[in-house]
Amino acid sequence: MQTHAKKLLVVITEAALEKLLVRDLRRLGAHGYTVCDVRGGGERGERAADWEADRSIRVEVVGDEAVVAALVEHILATYCANYAVSMYVTDCGVMRPHKF
Amino acid sequence: MQTHAKKLLVVITEAALEKLLVRDLRRLGAHGYTVCDVRGGGERGERAADWEADRSIRVEVVGDEAVVAALVEHILATYCANYAVSMYVTDCGVMRPHKF
Amino acid sequence: MQTHAKKLLVVITEAALEKLLVRDLRRLGAHGYTVCDVRGGGERGERAADWEADRSIRVEVVGDEAVVAALVEHILATYCANYAVSMYVTDCGVMRPHKF
Amino acid sequence: MDVVVLFFLLGVAARLAGSDLRLPEALYEALSIYLLLAIGIKGGVELAGQPLATVGPQALAVVALGVLLPLVAFPVLRTVGRFNRYDAGALAAHYGSVSVVTFAVAVTFLAGRDLEYEPYFPVFVVLMEAPAIVVGIVLARAGEPGRRVAWGALAHEVLLGKSIVLLLGGLAIGWIAGPTGIVPVKALFSDLFKGVLAIFLLEMGLVAGGRAAEIRRYGAFLVAFGVAMPVVAAAIGIAFAAVMDLSAGGTLLLATLAASASYIAAPAALRIALPEANPGLSIAASLGVTFPFNITVGIPLYHRMAAWAGVPGGG
Amino acid sequence: MDVVVLFFLLGVAARLAGSDLRLPEALYEALSIYLLLAIGIKGGVELAGQPLATVGPQALAVVALGVLLPLVAFPVLRTVGRFNRYDAGALAAHYGSVSVVTFAVAVTFLAGRDLEYEPYFPVFVVLMEAPAIVVGIVLARAGEPGRRVAWGALAHEVLLGKSIVLLLGGLAIGWIAGPTGIVPVKALFSDLFKGVLAIFLLEMGLVAGGRAAEIRRYGAFLVAFGVAMPVVAAAIGIAFAAVMDLSAGGTLLLATLAASASYIAAPAALRIALPEANPGLSIAASLGVTFPFNITVGIPLYHRMAAWAGVPGGG
Amino acid sequence: MDVVVLFFLLGVAARLAGSDLRLPEALYEALSIYLLLAIGIKGGVELAGQPLATVGPQALAVVALGVLLPLVAFPVLRTVGRFNRYDAGALAAHYGSVSVVTFAVAVTFLAGRDLEYEPYFPVFVVLMEAPAIVVGIVLARAGEPGRRVAWGALAHEVLLGKSIVLLLGGLAIGWIAGPTGIVPVKALFSDLFKGVLAIFLLEMGLVAGGRAAEIRRYGAFLVAFGVAMPVVAAAIGIAFAAVMDLSAGGTLLLATLAASASYIAAPAALRIALPEANPGLSIAASLGVTFPFNITVGIPLYHRMAAWAGVPGGG
Ligand SMILES: Nc1ncnc2c1ncn2[C@@H]1O[C@H](COP(=O)(O)O)[C@@H](O)[C@H]1O
Ligand SMILES: Nc1ncnc2c1ncn2[C@@H]1O[C@H](COP(=O)(O)O)[C@@H](O)[C@H]1O
Ligand SMILES: Nc1ncnc2c1ncn2[C@@H]1O[C@H](COP(=O)(O)O)[C@@H](O)[C@H]1O
Ligand code: NA
Ligand code: NA
Ligand code: NA
């Protein structure tokens, strides 16, 4: 199995940001993204998803290190001050490098 | 924390493939799998999950490198030409190696 | 992109354990967690989520190696004998290390 | 056969034929919330003006019935069924507790035959949820003096679970609002009841049909127990009804409650309080065998049994 | 314009205006399950006491209509539309099969005008689901003798899919229960039918409105086909209805079934059986063009066409 | 107490008792879509044949009321409450805007007492959604000339949000269909309204009950504001109603709209347009304090206040 090294960025944040994040990541060069509805808790308390304002999403982006770095930078600067945001990055390998 | 090295394969694809993929991965030696409903976008456009044909799933399989490689091979050969499919692989560690 | 090394623990288990796990992970020092509803199959058969007792969750915790190790230990000792549980650990990098 | 039962059979048939048809989880949840509330409300409205002097002793008898049934089931499961203590305790708990949907089908059965019953019966449903679960756990844990049961967590799980909160809440709402106060919500909670029950039964049929392979795996004893236990329980229920001096309709309802096996409250509680028990086993028996048996064959049979036992106005 | 169509237009307008309004997926699922069951039940209840001698030959004619329509569409799509064989086959399959919701809107149209129709029409809906899908696949695969179609999997997908299971199941329930047996569930399945249809049409409007960009991308031919094909198909349907000796209402319904394009059963089946076809294309045409056309302009037009063709009692 | 309010109290009680009961998110969504549409449709049907000459000036007054209320609230929040400008602006926006469900409870209150009101009131609900949100944001941003507000995005969020699209859409459908055209969907949108409202209130009770800890954390001022502000706003609303020459029922409705605080449109809009504000604060106040206060104590109180103020036919 021959794979090509990419980065996987996972962002867990408020559902209200979904539209904004998708627009941003497209603009910053990501080729795609995947969103999933989640609930959870962190610094900013429990987000039990039992009310519209309490819903959270988990956004996953596979991309080149540069794209992921730009995205991370942008999210830190734009959203982290005022929104519940968690982010982490892992290494990953893909089969068709042009896709990501 | 002593862990045993395994591979994690993540496949994001059309919901229509769920049954087929589960059958395939069982046949190719995976001991288990986890599926989650997602939405997203990529090469083949937005899959907003607002219509039956537009639903996507995220399938996660932890297994030995050989099993994951066989699965990747099979998916590339069988589904990638005609379906929206994204795949990536990461390293992971498990506690009970016989399980995966 | 400067990141700080952390561990990501993923636990896939029965929905009945959600409340217990969240309580446990808070107690053992995790700063947060994210939960997602999933379905799947493994050693203990298919969990198709078509019935209350058949629902599964996927819990994600990012934390220091020590916290994750303690959590893994606790889960192995407390739940693995009697519940459907899968766990794996991967390396990950975070931007704001104090958060996790 | 009542039309609602046909929906159940459709679900079973679709699943056995291999259809992937499934109702969304949220719909299943919504329907079960509706049914519990509606049953509670109906009972509550009629509770106004009931002589509590009668209900009190009857309520005690109903709790006693809930305690007795698992005590009957457990030894059979241990000796004839050769189950380990955990599985035997769990099964005993399921069969001593009750199924609200089976109760609803029995109420529909009575309505189709214009048979009256004590209107405060939903109170009995609430009272029979918990006792058998406690008894089943005690039986399973009896041989392990070292292990302590987290009774607090268990009480929380059962008493504050969906079934009891919504049934009791509905009872309270119906009782406070009374026959005139409830009118604004009747179009939803009363007129649509049987239609909603029908859709819920379709889903139950799909789930029950999906247990076929599991039932085959667990073998003949489980099927035999899943059929015989409700009949025995119904007979005991009819005896209790006679002592409690219930109407013909009430006798059928008590027999049905005794015969029915829980598949909502009990599984949830036992997964936490008795994790050693195999949850697939209890669900296969209660949902895959006993539930279908009760709503197709059982209820009419218990109606007959009541008549044989000399209940006036019985089948 | 019937009130239910206004809900569709609201959905389209909201989406075109850029609103993010969406109905939860589970609600969409729940409503579609309800509609299929309700349509089936209604037909089943009236099926009791129908002379099967009449229905038999008519049923054959309906299947023939389902086979014929894709044969008409395919060459046009290949030559004029210049689609590859897969896309042409898929589109032909969609347009030969039927849309249950379009059918429901036509039934509402008749009800508003007190026009009678053959009560067993839901049987025809079931019969027209599958044939065109098979024909469309055969047409697409004809040039590839090496490729074999997994007919077993396809049959499973179509015959055990949501549409046919629920329509047939509803028919069976209605037929077994009969006019009196069905009474307990009428408040849900009959009284609420049009309201539920309205909400479903709101969702359809949102989805159809969301296809605007895609339709623009696929170009003028697709729009022209999406409007012309249903009109031609309706004319063929009216001719069949004349031969079958259907009532005025039945003629409109058969014209509408012919004119309608599938967007539930066909897409699901073709994604598995004809993966080379672009699913966006068929959905854009059937849901984005033909469905709106049929429920706003088409149904009244086919009513007129039937009158022109001399159907007694037509518009 | 109206029966629908009992459902709210059941939700609060269940949550405070520690029950995990929750309605599925999709059900909550479905019910809120239904309620908005149903309220709109009802208003739209009655709008036909209303003299627009009267409605026009009243509409202007209603917008003025929406602008005035946050201007009253903001200085109090800044000085007495010592909130930062963002939180003060956000709270002011929530309290100037409206709660559709509180409005629905007030309508139910009137129906139970056979009191008439201007049938076009849903138009006022639409008109009062947005102005206070704009004013609240302007107040919060006033001290920061450097920051520009993305008014376009805000307009999109508010005007094309669920509340306004469905209310306006319902109004349009009701208005176009008229009293006879609407008949086919009445069984769903009219007969079931109060039952659906009851279940929605159960969910609101669960959510409100879940805010108890948060409310305690934010302290006494928030609770005092959450009770006093609606009473003051209701008084202002009654004064406006007198000027606008509204009926007794209309006076109560306007008082209720003034007193009610938004928890759907405002939170969504402010999270985007005023992210510095703590969303938990506004929700705790509007949903945890003001909503329960209004539907239990407030509405009857405003009815009395209107009578004291000399509105004929008032409580
Ligand atoms: N340590 C963590 N591990 C996993 N998920 C987390 C963690 N911390 C926070 N989250 C998720 O990120 C969301 C926002 O986090 P916060 O900004 O810390 O409140 C939470 O609601 C969780 O879903
Ligand atoms: N770069 C990416 N990162 C994360 N998910 C992706 C990415 N590209 C595609 N996906 C997901 O995979 C699905 C199919 O991708 P595609 O075949 O590229 O259209 C999309 O709908 C996304 O959910
Ligand atoms: N190899 C695997 N890869 C991914 N998920 C798994 C795997 N094995 C088990 N799971 C998940 O973990 C749950 C419990 O596993 P088990 O205890 O093996 O039955 C399953 O229902 C799956 O959702
Ligand atoms: Na029982
Ligand atoms: Na057709
Ligand atoms: Na207000």
Side-chain angles (χ1 to χ4, degrees):
Chain A
M1 181 174 55
Q2 203 212 320
T3 63
H4 305 261
K6 297 275 168 175
K7 291 282 177 189
L8 165 69
L9 168 65
V10 174
V11 185
I12 300 157
T13 189
E14 307 183 15
L17 293 186
E18 178 166 345
K19 238 189 323 176
L20 301 179
L21 278 179
V22 168
R23 191 198 55 196
D24 295 346
L25 63 87
R26 288 287 198 193
R27 188 168 45 81
L28 292 171
H31 292 195
Y33 66 95
T34 299
V35 182
C36 166
D37 295 311
V38 298
R39 54 191 174 275
E43 279 184 324
R44 291 181 184 247
E46 300 293 303
R47 299 183 53 76
D50 67 351
W51 186 248
E52 297 186 59
D54 254 6
R55 298 196 190 135
S56 302
I57 53 170
R58 177 186 188 275
V59 186
E60 208 169 66
V61 181
V62 175
D64 288 329
E65 170 141 15
V67 168
V68 164
L71 208 44
V72 162
E73 197 84 0
H74 174 73
I75 292 172
L76 281 173
T78 317
Y79 303 112
C80 286
N82 292 316
Y83 294 94
V85 181
S86 290
M87 279 193 287
Y88 62 81
V89 179
T90 71
D91 293 322
C92 73
V94 303
M95 274 50 70
R96 295 168 296 166
H98 57 277
K99 240 189 101 84
F100 296 96
Chain B
M1 181 175 52
Q2 205 213 319
T3 62
H4 305 262
K6 298 274 168 177
K7 291 282 178 187
L8 165 68
L9 168 66
V10 174
V11 184
I12 300 157
T13 190
E14 308 182 15
L17 293 186
E18 179 165 345
K19 238 190 322 176
L20 301 179
L21 278 179
V22 168
R23 191 199 55 195
D24 294 346
L25 63 86
R26 289 287 198 191
R27 188 168 45 82
L28 292 171
H31 293 195
Y33 66 95
T34 298
V35 181
C36 166
D37 294 312
V38 298
R39 54 191 174 275
E43 280 184 323
R44 291 183 183 245
E46 301 294 303
R47 299 183 53 77
D50 68 349
W51 186 247
E52 297 186 60
D54 254 6
R55 298 197 191 133
S56 302
I57 53 170
R58 177 185 189 276
V59 185
E60 210 169 64
V61 180
V62 176
D64 289 328
E65 171 141 15
V67 168
V68 165
L71 209 44
V72 162
E73 197 83 1
H74 174 73
I75 292 171
L76 281 173
T78 317
Y79 302 112
C80 287
N82 291 316
Y83 294 95
V85 181
S86 290
M87 279 193 287
Y88 62 82
V89 179
T90 72
D91 293 324
C92 73
V94 302
M95 273 50 71
R96 295 168 296 166
H98 58 279
K99 242 188 99 83
F100 298 96
Chain C
M1 180 174 55
Q2 205 213 317
T3 62
H4 305 261
K6 297 274 168 177
K7 291 284 177 187
L8 164 68
L9 169 65
V10 174
V11 185
I12 300 158
T13 189
E14 307 182 16
L17 293 186
E18 178 165 346
K19 238 188 325 178
L20 301 179
L21 278 178
V22 168
R23 191 199 55 195
D24 294 346
L25 63 86
R26 288 287 197 196
R27 189 168 45 81
L28 292 171
H31 293 195
Y33 66 96
T34 298
V35 182
C36 166
D37 294 311
V38 297
R39 56 190 172 275
E43 280 185 322
R44 290 180 185 249
E46 301 293 302
R47 298 183 54 77
D50 67 350
W51 185 248
E52 296 184 62
D54 254 6
R55 297 196 190 134
S56 302
I57 53 171
R58 178 185 187 275
V59 186
E60 208 170 66
V61 180
V62 176
D64 289 329
E65 172 141 13
V67 168
V68 165
L71 208 44
V72 161
E73 198 83 0
H74 174 74
I75 292 171
L76 281 172
T78 317
Y79 302 112
C80 285
N82 291 316
Y83 294 95
V85 181
S86 290
M87 280 193 286
Y88 62 82
V89 179
T90 72
D91 293 322
C92 73
V94 302
M95 274 49 72
R96 296 168 296 167
H98 56 277
K99 242 189 99 83
F100 297 95
Chain D
M1 187 163 293
D2 284 325
V3 64
V4 295
V5 177
L6 295 176
F7 284 81
F8 178 80
L9 297 180
L10 170 58
V12 173
R15 184 63 82 239
L16 291 182
S19 171
D20 291 325
L21 180 66
R22 33 181 307 179
L23 268 62
E25 203 176 296
L27 178 61
Y28 161 79
E29 273 294 338
L31 298 182
S32 80
I33 290 169
Y34 168 94
L35 290 174
L36 291 162
L37 268 178
I39 291 171
I41 289 172
K42 188 158 176 242
V45 167
E46 318 237 15
L47 212 59
Q50 288 298 323
L52 265 178
T54 339
V55 182
Q58 289 183 342
L60 281 180
V62 158
V63 172
L65 178 58
V67 170
L68 175 61
L69 291 172
L71 293 172
V72 171
F74 188 76
V76 178
L77 290 161
R78 286 288 275 157
T79 55
V80 188
R82 295 169 172 277
F83 287 112
N84 66 41
R85 62 154 42 88
Y86 308 114
D87 287 335
L91 277 164
H94 280 74
Y95 279 82
S97 184
V98 296
S99 150
V100 177
V101 178
T102 311
F103 174 76
V105 174
V107 168
T108 305
F109 178 91
L110 294 179
R113 281 149 195 82
D114 279 325
L115 282 167
E116 302 278 311
Y117 61 92
E118 288 68 19
Y120 44 80
F121 238 91
V123 177
F124 296 168
V125 180
V126 172
L127 291 173
M128 278 189 77
E129 289 266 358
I133 296 175
V134 174
V135 174
I137 293 169
V138 169
L139 289 171
R141 291 269 181 252
E144 312 174 292
R147 279 285 302 244
R148 43 178 267 277
V149 178
W151 292 112
L154 178 68
H156 188 280
E157 191 69 34
V158 177
L159 301 181
L160 293 172
K162 186 169 67 170
S163 306
I164 290 192
V165 165
L166 290 173
L167 279 172
L168 268 188
L171 277 164
I173 288 174
W175 187 69
I176 297 174
T180 45
I182 212 70
V183 168
V185 300
K186 266 200 124 164
L188 182 65
F189 285 108
S190 175
D191 302 354
L192 296 186
F193 185 79
K194 279 173 202 146
V196 172
L197 179 61
I199 297 189
F200 195 80
L201 284 169
L202 171 63
E203 163 74 0
M204 301 274 301
L206 291 167
V207 178
R211 303 284 146 175
E214 234 171 348
I215 292 166
R216 221 167 299 131
R217 197 167 71 236
Y218 292 130
F221 175 79
L222 202 74
V223 176
F225 179 80
V227 169
M229 179 68 205
V231 177
V232 172
I236 300 177
I238 291 169
F240 268 70
V243 174
M244 290 161 65
D245 205 22
L246 293 182
S247 64
T251 301
L252 176 66
L253 291 185
L254 194 65
T256 302
L257 284 179
S260 74
S262 169
Y263 43 78
I264 296 182
L270 292 171
R271 199 72 198 104
I272 299 301
L274 206 59
E276 299 92 339
N278 173 0
L281 196 66
S282 297
I283 282 288
S286 78
L287 199 63
V289 181
T290 300
F291 181 77
F293 173 75
N294 274 332
I295 68 168
T296 54
V297 177
I299 294 174
L301 172 66
Y302 312 147
H303 189 49
R304 286 282 170 85
M305 282 165 56
W308 296 332
V311 176
Chain E
M1 186 163 294
D2 284 325
V3 65
V4 295
V5 177
L6 296 175
F7 284 82
F8 178 80
L9 297 179
L10 171 57
V12 173
R15 184 62 84 237
L16 291 182
S19 171
D20 292 325
L21 180 66
R22 35 181 307 180
L23 268 61
E25 204 175 295
L27 177 61
Y28 160 80
E29 273 295 338
L31 298 181
S32 79
I33 289 169
Y34 169 92
L35 290 174
L36 290 163
L37 268 179
I39 291 171
I41 289 171
K42 189 160 175 239
V45 167
E46 319 237 12
L47 212 59
Q50 288 298 323
L52 266 178
T54 338
V55 183
Q58 289 183 343
L60 282 180
V62 159
V63 172
L65 178 59
V67 170
L68 175 62
L69 291 171
L71 294 172
V72 170
F74 188 76
V76 178
L77 291 160
R78 286 288 276 156
T79 56
V80 188
R82 295 168 172 278
F83 287 112
N84 65 41
R85 62 155 42 90
Y86 308 114
D87 288 335
L91 277 163
H94 280 75
Y95 278 81
S97 184
V98 295
S99 150
V100 176
V101 178
T102 311
F103 174 77
V105 174
V107 168
T108 306
F109 178 91
L110 294 180
R113 281 150 196 84
D114 279 323
L115 282 168
E116 302 278 312
Y117 62 92
E118 288 69 18
Y120 45 81
F121 238 91
V123 177
F124 296 168
V125 179
V126 172
L127 291 173
M128 278 189 77
E129 289 267 357
I133 296 176
V134 173
V135 174
I137 293 169
V138 169
L139 289 170
R141 292 269 181 251
E144 311 175 291
R147 279 285 301 241
R148 42 177 268 276
V149 178
W151 292 113
L154 178 68
H156 189 280
E157 192 69 35
V158 176
L159 301 181
L160 294 171
K162 187 168 67 172
S163 307
I164 290 193
V165 166
L166 290 172
L167 280 172
L168 267 190
L171 278 165
I173 289 174
W175 186 69
I176 298 173
T180 45
I182 212 69
V183 168
V185 300
K186 266 199 124 164
L188 182 64
F189 285 108
S190 174
D191 301 355
L192 296 185
F193 185 79
K194 280 173 199 146
V196 172
L197 179 61
I199 297 189
F200 195 79
L201 285 169
L202 171 62
E203 164 74 1
M204 301 274 301
L206 290 167
V207 178
R211 303 285 146 173
E214 233 172 347
I215 292 166
R216 221 168 298 132
R217 197 167 72 236
Y218 291 129
F221 174 78
L222 202 74
V223 176
F225 179 80
V227 169
M229 179 67 204
V231 178
V232 172
I236 299 177
I238 291 169
F240 269 68
V243 174
M244 291 161 65
D245 204 22
L246 293 181
S247 64
T251 301
L252 177 66
L253 291 186
L254 194 65
T256 302
L257 284 179
S260 75
S262 169
Y263 43 78
I264 295 182
L270 292 170
R271 199 73 198 103
I272 298 301
L274 207 60
E276 300 91 340
N278 172 0
L281 195 66
S282 297
I283 281 289
S286 78
L287 200 63
V289 180
T290 300
F291 181 77
F293 173 76
N294 273 333
I295 67 168
T296 55
V297 178
I299 293 174
L301 172 65
Y302 311 147
H303 190 49
R304 286 282 171 83
M305 282 164 56
W308 296 333
V311 176
Chain F
M1 187 162 296
D2 284 322
V3 64
V4 295
V5 178
L6 295 176
F7 284 81
F8 179 79
L9 297 179
L10 170 58
V12 173
R15 185 62 83 238
L16 292 182
S19 170
D20 291 325
L21 180 66
R22 34 180 309 181
L23 268 61
E25 205 176 295
L27 178 62
Y28 161 80
E29 274 294 339
L31 297 182
S32 80
I33 289 170
Y34 169 93
L35 290 174
L36 291 162
L37 268 180
I39 291 170
I41 289 171
K42 189 161 176 237
V45 167
E46 319 237 13
L47 211 60
Q50 288 297 323
L52 265 179
T54 339
V55 182
Q58 290 183 342
L60 281 181
V62 159
V63 172
L65 178 59
V67 170
L68 176 61
L69 291 172
L71 293 172
V72 171
F74 188 77
V76 178
L77 290 161
R78 286 288 276 155
T79 56
V80 188
R82 295 168 173 278
F83 286 112
N84 66 41
R85 62 153 43 89
Y86 307 114
D87 287 335
L91 276 164
H94 279 75
Y95 279 82
S97 184
V98 295
S99 151
V100 176
V101 177
T102 312
F103 173 77
V105 174
V107 168
T108 305
F109 178 91
L110 293 180
R113 283 149 195 82
D114 279 324
L115 281 168
E116 301 278 311
Y117 62 91
E118 289 69 18
Y120 44 81
F121 238 90
V123 177
F124 296 168
V125 179
V126 173
L127 291 173
M128 279 189 77
E129 289 266 357
I133 296 174
V134 174
V135 174
I137 293 169
V138 169
L139 289 170
R141 292 270 182 250
E144 313 174 290
R147 278 285 302 241
R148 44 178 266 276
V149 178
W151 291 113
L154 178 68
H156 188 280
E157 192 69 34
V158 177
L159 301 181
L160 293 172
K162 185 169 68 173
S163 306
I164 291 192
V165 164
L166 290 173
L167 280 172
L168 268 189
L171 277 164
I173 288 173
W175 187 69
I176 297 173
T180 44
I182 212 70
V183 169
V185 299
K186 267 199 124 164
L188 182 65
F189 285 108
S190 175
D191 301 356
L192 296 186
F193 185 79
K194 279 173 200 146
V196 173
L197 179 62
I199 296 189
F200 195 80
L201 285 169
L202 171 63
E203 163 75 1
M204 302 273 301
L206 290 168
V207 178
R211 302 285 147 173
E214 233 172 347
I215 292 167
R216 221 168 299 132
R217 196 166 75 236
Y218 292 130
F221 174 78
L222 201 74
V223 176
F225 179 80
V227 169
M229 179 67 205
V231 177
V232 172
I236 299 177
I238 291 169
F240 268 69
V243 175
M244 290 160 65
D245 205 22
L246 293 181
S247 64
T251 301
L252 176 66
L253 291 186
L254 194 64
T256 301
L257 284 179
S260 75
S262 169
Y263 43 79
I264 295 182
L270 292 170
R271 198 73 197 104
I272 298 301
L274 207 60
E276 300 91 339
N278 173 1
L281 197 66
S282 296
I283 281 289
S286 78
L287 199 64
V289 181
T290 301
F291 180 77
F293 173 76
N294 273 333
I295 67 168
T296 55
V297 177
I299 292 174
L301 172 66
Y302 312 147
H303 189 50
R304 286 282 171 84
M305 283 165 55
W308 296 332
V311 175

